[in-house]
């Protein structure tokens, strides 16, 4: 049987993994010897411990497991399917100590354990200002008022009979990576970048509802979106954007929205920071000037180095991150590793992602996996052979406007270090000789 020229190295994923503690121990012990002896190292890479075990007779192959000899469980035992018991480590997590009240907090998506570009609905990050509710759709209403010929109130049934569209888009909280402005703050990609998710959303274009109510095209310049939760979340959206690609959505990944994500109705504002994606949407008002609501006057503003604030900055600029290998993971073998990550831009499509393994001195262009969609996550992959020496892994994305993701030095020159929002700097992961990966900032 012919062997691939380079055997893929093993990785202990954080926080979940496919290796038993015994296997990890075995490899770790082997690697320490291996690092002492370059000659042994070369042959060990070619052979690999897994191959050796197969030749001796791997019990996982030779002994028939119970599932091969017994009747399996019946259909519809779980009328709504749930993940395997072996995947229980893959979950949304709250960053300990980040917020004082769990209802006004955030849970981060486990980006390190996801494939492709779609975030499973149960793992979509959550950000609530005053907790979530499971609202009865039969009692939910959407009012459209203000500078319109006729103010209207829609039931869910009214809305869901209108012509709908389905679009795949990312949503990123403006505060994503916000803890890292000053310096390294959190260990894993779940916490550095996990206020990010991507779903297929289904709903009616907001332009259809505005046409239905007859907006005053001469006077109308902005719309206000209002949520039905206790936080009175209200956000101003310029009319040209509202008429462009904004959706009033009830669908997420082929089913109704999850309560945590705004069931039964939320606004989808592609490319724009998450706070404008008002959940439990109950009102759209058409007006002629911005409202300067609390969440656009004192929060979600960018503190600049000269002490002034930028207001109404809302586009999520081009950004990327390597999700594997990433902070908290351990490379257990030298040799081949697939570097994989996500790139996105609030302005359009990802055009290119370059990857460096030496802290930004040299760059290679990664493969963009299809589909590459506008204002959606794009998955990138690149082959890499780790020779066992320390490395700094980075990805740098470019979008179809030609904008290139900045490094920390470039971003801080313009934005300083005391901001919270819109940190799209290049992320660095340090790979130590031991195989451990950690979060660092190299400039
Ligand atoms: N809408 C309402 N009504 N209440 C909220 O607290 N949080 C906003 C936005 N919409 C919020 C809201 C913020 S800050 C973000 S980042 C996104 O919802 C998060 O959406 P998600 O919880 O579906 O990930």
């Amino acid at each position: 049987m012919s062997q691939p020229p380079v055997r893929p190295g093993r990785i202990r994923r954080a926080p979940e993994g496919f290796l038993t503690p015994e296997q990890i121990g075995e490899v770790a012990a082997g690697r320490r010897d291996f690092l002492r002896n370059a000659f042994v190292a070369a042959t060990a890479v070619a052979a690999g411990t897994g191959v050796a075990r197969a030749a001796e007779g791997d019990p996982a192959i030779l002994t028939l497991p119970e599932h091969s000899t017994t009747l399996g469980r019946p259909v519809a035992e779980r009328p709504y399917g749930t993940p395997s018991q072996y995947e229980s480590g893959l979950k949304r997590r709250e960053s300990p100590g980040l917020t004082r009240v769990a209802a006004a907090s955030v849970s981060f998506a486990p980006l390190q354990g996801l494939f492709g570009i779609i975030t499973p609905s149960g793992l979509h990050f959550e950000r609530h200002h005053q907790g979530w509710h499971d609202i009865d759709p039969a009692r939910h209403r959407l009012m459209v008022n203000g500078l319109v010929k006729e103010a209207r109130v829609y039931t869910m049934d009214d809305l869901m009979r209108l012509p709908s569209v389905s679009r795949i888009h990312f949503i990123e909280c403006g505060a994503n990576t916000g803890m890292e402005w000053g310096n390294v703050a959190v260990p894993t990609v779940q916490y550095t970048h996990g206020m990010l998710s991507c779903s297929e959303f289904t709903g009616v274009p907001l332009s259809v509802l505005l046409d239905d109510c007859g907006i005053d095209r001469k006077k109308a310049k902005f719309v206000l979106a209002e949520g039905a939760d206790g936080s009175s979340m209200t956000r101003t959206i310029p009319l040209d954007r509202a008429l462009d690609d904004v959706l009033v959505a009830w669908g997420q990944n082929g089913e109704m929205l999850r309560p945590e994500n705004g069931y039964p109705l939320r606004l989808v504002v592609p490319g724009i920071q998450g706070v404008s994606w008002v959940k439990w949407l109950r009102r759209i008002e058409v007006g002629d000037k911005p409202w300067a609501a609390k969440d656009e006057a004192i929060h979600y503003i960018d503190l600049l180095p000269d002490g002034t604030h930028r207001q109404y900055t809302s586009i999520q600029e081009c950004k990327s991150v390597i999700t594997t290998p990433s902070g908290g993971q351990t490379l257990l073998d030298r040799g081949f590793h697939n570097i994989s990550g996500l790139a996105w831009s609030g302005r359009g499509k990802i055009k290119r992602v370059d990857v460096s393994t030496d802290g930004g001195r040299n760059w290679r262009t990664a493969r963009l996996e299809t589909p590459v969609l506008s204002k959606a996550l794009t998955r990138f992959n690149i082959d890499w052979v780790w020779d066992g020496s320390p490395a700094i892994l980075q990805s740098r994305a470019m979008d179809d406007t030609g904008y290139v993701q900045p490094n920390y030095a470039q971003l801080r020159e313009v934005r300083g270090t005391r901001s919270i929002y819109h940190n799209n700097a290049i992320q660095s992961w340090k790979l130590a000789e031991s195989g451990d990966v950690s979060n660092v900032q190299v400039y």
Side-chain angles (χ1 to χ4, degrees):
M1 199 175 78
S2 70
Q3 295 289 339
V6 191
R7 293 202 60 75
R10 282 166 296 176
I11 178 167
R12 182 176 56 187
R13 294 184 164 85
E16 78 292 347
F18 303 107
L19 294 165
T20 63
E22 292 73 42
Q23 284 171 320
I24 291 167
E26 223 176 85
V27 173
R31 193 185 58 239
R32 275 195 294 275
D33 297 344
F34 170 100
L35 290 174
R36 273 200 295 270
N37 185 325
F39 175 72
V40 181
T43 49
V45 167
T49 24
V51 178
R53 197 182 302 113
E56 288 156 17
D58 185 347
I61 300 169
L62 296 180
T63 315
L64 269 188
E66 201 191 334
H67 59 249
S68 301
T69 57
T70 53
L71 188 61
R73 286 146 73 165
V75 297
E77 187 187 68
R78 296 176 183 172
Y80 195 103
T82 48
S84 158
Q85 59 179 315
Y86 302 107
E87 299 301 324
S88 61
L90 192 72
K91 50 179 138 185
R92 301 191 275 226
R93 285 165 201 268
E94 221 187 327
S95 183
L98 181 63
T99 53
R100 273 182 241 167
V101 184
S105 191
V106 47
S107 73
F108 297 81
L111 303 180
Q112 72 282 2
L114 303 182
F115 316 119
I117 61 169
I118 298 292
T119 312
S121 298
L123 295 174
H124 192 291
F125 84 96
E126 303 162 88
R127 171 74 179 106
H128 319 304
H129 288 237
Q130 200 167 318
W132 62 274
H133 298 270
D134 197 356
I135 294 175
D136 178 356
R139 291 181 52 206
H140 189 71
R141 302 286 182 271
L142 174 68
M143 177 190 283
V144 180
N145 69 338
L147 296 174
V148 290
K149 276 202 194 73
E150 195 182 341
R152 285 187 196 276
V153 174
Y154 299 88
T155 64
M156 285 304 298
D157 186 53
D158 293 336
L159 292 170
M160 292 176 71
R161 281 189 279 125
L162 292 169
S164 65
V165 295
S166 296
R167 308 255 162 78
I168 296 176
H169 289 300
F170 78 83
I171 164 173
E172 181 182 22
C173 181
N176 200 23
T177 325
M179 289 179 277
E180 303 271 314
W181 267 108
N183 209 337
V184 167
V186 286
T188 68
V189 71
Q190 180 154 12
Y191 296 123
T192 56
H193 288 76
M195 280 197 260
L196 171 75
S197 293
C198 184
S199 296
E200 184 194 64
F201 292 100
T202 298
V204 58
L206 178 55
S207 59
V208 170
L209 298 185
L210 295 177
D211 277 350
D212 191 37
C213 299
I215 45 167
D216 182 336
R217 297 242 170 206
K218 282 207 185 109
K219 288 195 200 140
K221 296 272 182 307
F222 296 91
V223 302
L224 181 81
E226 181 185 80
D229 54 328
S231 76
S232 305
M233 174 60 68
T234 38
R235 288 290 303 183
T236 301
I237 296 161
L239 187 66
D240 50 356
R241 180 170 303 284
L243 293 174
D244 182 15
D245 52 4
V246 175
L247 301 182
V248 171
W250 52 81
Q252 179 181 356
N253 297 332
E255 59 181 355
M256 290 298 287
L257 289 161
R258 293 291 169 91
E260 300 94 311
N261 305 117
Y263 179 90
L265 206 61
R266 86 173 304 165
L267 210 58
V268 166
V269 195
I272 300 302
Q273 61 179 342
V275 66
S276 294
W277 296 48
V278 173
K279 300 192 277 191
W280 313 293
L281 181 70
R282 74 164 170 210
R283 196 165 69 89
I284 297 283
E285 184 179 331
V286 182
D288 56 2
K289 49 183 170 308
W291 277 260
K294 71 170 167 41
D295 285 302
E296 42 201 29
I298 48 172
H299 303 299
Y300 299 96
I301 48 177
D302 299 322
L303 177 59
L304 298 175
D306 66 1
T308 59
H309 283 94
R310 284 196 320 197
Q311 201 183 3
Y312 295 118
T313 45
S314 48
I315 293 182
Q316 293 300 110
E317 298 288 359
C318 185
K319 187 167 169 181
S320 69
V321 67
I322 294 172
T323 52
T324 298
S326 62
Q329 300 183 336
T330 306
L331 299 194
L332 296 167
D333 297 312
R334 298 179 185 189
F336 175 86
H337 287 275
N338 177 44
I339 297 179
S340 187
L342 294 164
W344 61 101
S345 167
R347 295 193 188 268
K349 287 186 184 175
I350 289 299
K351 194 171 174 196
R352 199 170 108 188
V353 178
D354 293 333
V355 169
S356 172
T357 54
D358 58 6
R361 274 185 285 280
N362 296 287
W363 297 89
R364 286 189 299 140
T365 299
R367 297 189 307 277
L368 300 185
E369 307 299 347
T370 53
V372 177
L373 302 169
S374 180
K375 304 176 188 177
L377 294 187
T378 296
R379 170 68 59 180
F380 66 86
N381 287 304
I382 188 166
D383 301 347
W384 183 49
V385 177
W386 182 44
D387 64 7
S389 47
I392 305 269
L393 311 183
Q394 300 174 319
S395 63
R396 180 180 65 191
M398 183 200 284
D399 68 17
D400 60 3
T401 69
Y403 175 97
V404 180
Q405 184 183 3
N407 63 33
Y408 266 105
Q410 292 163 330
L411 189 67
R412 285 181 178 139
E413 201 177 312
V414 182
R415 303 277 313 281
T417 55
R418 290 185 300 144
S419 194
I420 298 173
Y421 306 102
H422 308 297
N423 176 353
N424 68 327
I426 290 172
Q427 170 68 38
S428 304
W429 300 118
K430 181 179 164 194
L431 172 59
E433 232 175 324
S434 63
D436 292 337
V437 186
S438 59
N439 183 9
V440 292
Q441 291 186 4
V442 290
Y443 33 63

